[in-house]
Amino acid sequence: MSMPFEEHDYIGLSEVPAMENSEKNNGLPLGDNEKKNTAKVLNLKATELRLGLPGSESPERETGHGGEDKNGYQLGVLKGFVSGAKRGFSDTINGGSGKWVYSGSGGSEVNLANGGGLFSPRGANGAAKSIGAGGVDSASQQTFVGSGVGKETVPQSPKPVQEKKPQVSAANGHAAAPAAKAQVVGWPPIRSFRKNSMAINPPKTDEDADAKLGTGCLYVKVSMDGAPYLRKVDIKIYSSYKDLSSALEKMFSCFTIGQCGSHGVHIRDGMSESRLMDLLHGSEYVLTYEDKDGDWMLVGDVPWEMFMDSCKRLRIMKSSDAIGLAPRAMEKCKNRN
Amino acid sequence: MDPNIKKTKNSADSANYPEAIQSPSQFPDEVLEKVLSMLHSHKDRSSVSLVCKDWYNAERWSRTKIFIGNCYSVSPEIVARRFPRIKSVTLKGKPRFSDFNLVPQNWGANIHDWLVMFAKVYPLLEELRLKRMTVSDESLEFLAMSFPGFKALSLLSCDGFSTDGLKSIATHCKKLTELDIQENGIDDVSGSWLSAFPDNFTSLEILNFASLNSEVSFDALERLVSRCKSLKVLKVNKGIGLDQLQRLLVRAPQLMELGTGSFQQELMFRHCMELENAFRNCKNLQILAGLWDASYVYLHVLYPACSSLTFLNLSYATLRSDEFTKLIAHCPNLRCLWVLDTVEDKGLEAVGSCCPLLEEIRVFPAHPFDQDINHGVTESGFLAVSHGCRKLHYVLYFCQQMTNAAVATIVQNCPDFTHFRLCIMNPGQPDYLTDEPMDEAFGAVVKTCTKLQRLAVSGLLTDLTFEYIGKYAKNLETLSVAFAGRSDWGMQCVLGGCPKLRKLEIRDCPFGNAALLSGLKKYESMRSLWMSACNVTMNGCRLLAKEMPRLNVEVMKDEEDDSHVDKVYVYRSVAGPRRDAPPFVLTL
């Protein structure tokens, strides 16, 4: 955890606002160092993002513990400066870790580790076979064809492109897999319609490859009154209001800690629906959401599943602003009872 | 026929049909025609027509449905001359490898000349089913205007038209019962074609526009579904959301086949319940497809309908194994399942446990070009299905790895395979455990599965595979080969064996002229042969064309090497060389 922190320093944003420090010391519900670092890190991020753009994603958003993936975190820093950084970009960068690279090559460690069955130069077909692998259809409209040729194979790819003819009379007498590594037309044999469908709507495994969790994802924006930037959370990875609010609290702790702490409500002790109601009455901030109809509702009224289905965005509102919501909340309670 | 037998039959008949005595031959034509009109299989009809001239005539007069597997094997004139009373036509055009971009554009197989002839000779034409043909908007308009009783149009894997052509059909075909548009390479201009069905149009029974991308007017669709009370099959496209689906189901609870639209929309709890109820009320639902971008959250709405499902097509739904497992547990009566390999081996294990009646399974790759072997399915998924589903006879399986031992066990579990299409996605890949060729796998398939009709091979294969195929695959009709074999001997074995072979398609194999010419006598008993990126030369093709004048030998030359042949397509024909061949196709 300390390493990314140092890299922050390297970038030159060493100043930690004094206010945040003092807030941390006041009734800080977060006990461990990790949380402290998270807070510090967040602070720095906050500072950076003033220079850059709000709304870019933090690598710790889904795990709640900040910066496990060092590469990712580093990217988080970069993102502050990269306009319109999208997840796709981060995917490409993170590809360096080799987890889910769309590499069409045999170079990646994953493949070699698996006995290189895909690209092994062993086997009777010798050299010819080793280039029969990639199967990236040059006629395909797959959007990742370009990135499909992984780093390791870039130098090789020009050769295969020219070698479209089958190398059937290879010197070693073995003649089978001809054609280029990543340039085999019409292979695997899948109809264009299916290829194009998968290209336009890549399977979920791609979209939440970051999280590698859950059953699909539903990212909603989370804003907090007074915070300089928004966050995004995948609410599908939480199973209850308690989970969600813990996560949000961690995310925005630098802004909420003082308020919650000062009123003696320990959010970390667990958030039930009733607790949220306590917060409504007792704290400076309330958690609200915009539902499908465009109305702003208080979080915690409806069963969790229903909330997940109808929540479009979240807003941590100042209690004073939420007064308009309170009657509604009371009404809903009445209706439910 | 023996004249004595004829007379005997005649005397028996004359008691009942006195007017038939004048014919010295056998049955009166009317009787024979009546009997033959009950024959539907075109293979049977073909056999019948070969018995004698009278039977040939009776057959041709009684035939109302015609199936032409290769549109160039015969001409519109010949068909029109022989069959005077056709109401339904099925035509297939381009070689199958055109689906995978191996056939250049403008190759041919244009429907228009056929339509012109049909308009002249079959004004009562009702059905047209086309596969891999080129169809223009003009042709569709011509069709719509020329046949007042036209009922059923099915276009699969065709190209050359746009949604404007569909508009003509919707506008003019007053008695349309079927409009089935699948996986065509077309110009999707707009969804306004659907609104062109007139307000008094009520005859639709089958509507499939799942593979069209442009949005249709939901209002028009809802009204159409409401007034077509006989609608049995409805497959909508991605533009239709869940709340709209619910409204459609409420209007058409009699549906037997449903293709949903997008399954991802956010729904209020109340609407979820309504949708679930709508499915509950579809008591006749047997086939379910679509489920684009299926979000697991909403799959439960399907559960009430699942127990009666016989065919579930999840091949566009990217479900993970845990999500899929929960769904499949509700489908014990499945006969046919299409899935994406995102369900992984675990999902397939669930299939093995939950679907004992399964007969067909197709597993498509979600990431066909991704070399990460940690995705998708392996041999163990296939094994699990074969273990639990002993009635399995059709498989299409895309995987990253396979072993000879697994395949041998699979066919022992399921010896009744009629269609075995295995695609190990990395060309020329050996058994990943033993590193040996996959010869023994396919050897086991052909030795054990005596009913095998269709086989597609893959992986590292030597000539031994083809020795096995030639020797054991007595019922094989269709064989697809890619990146396989060692020498001409492989192909020679197949052509020398396989007595029922009809279609042979080969790409990227080391088969040359000797192999090509070894099949001289055989090609006339086959529908077609396709060879691309093999070792065949112009001389070999010329020799074949010269020796076998009743075969059309069409060559697409190599761009760089003048003598080398890039693609050769050989097929039998009674129509002679085709007159519409584009410049890049050379008929020898």
Side-chain angles (χ1 to χ4, degrees), chain A residues 193, chain B residues 163 166 181 186 188 193 209-214 237-238:
Chain A
F193 176 74
Chain B
T163 42
L166 298 181
I181 311 294
I186 70 166
D188 208 332
W193 61 272
F209 63 97
S211 55
L212 295 180
N213 286 322
S214 47
N237 68 5
K238 270 191 266 197

Side-chain angles (χ1 to χ4, degrees), chain A residues 40-62:
Chain A
K40 265 194 193 162
V41 154
L42 279 175
N43 294 338
L44 284 173
K45 279 183 69 65
T47 316
E48 286 163 37
L49 285 167
R50 283 199 180 95
L51 304 173
L53 292 173
S56 48
E57 294 151 6
S58 155
E60 61 262 31
R61 69 189 184 292
E62 62 275 13

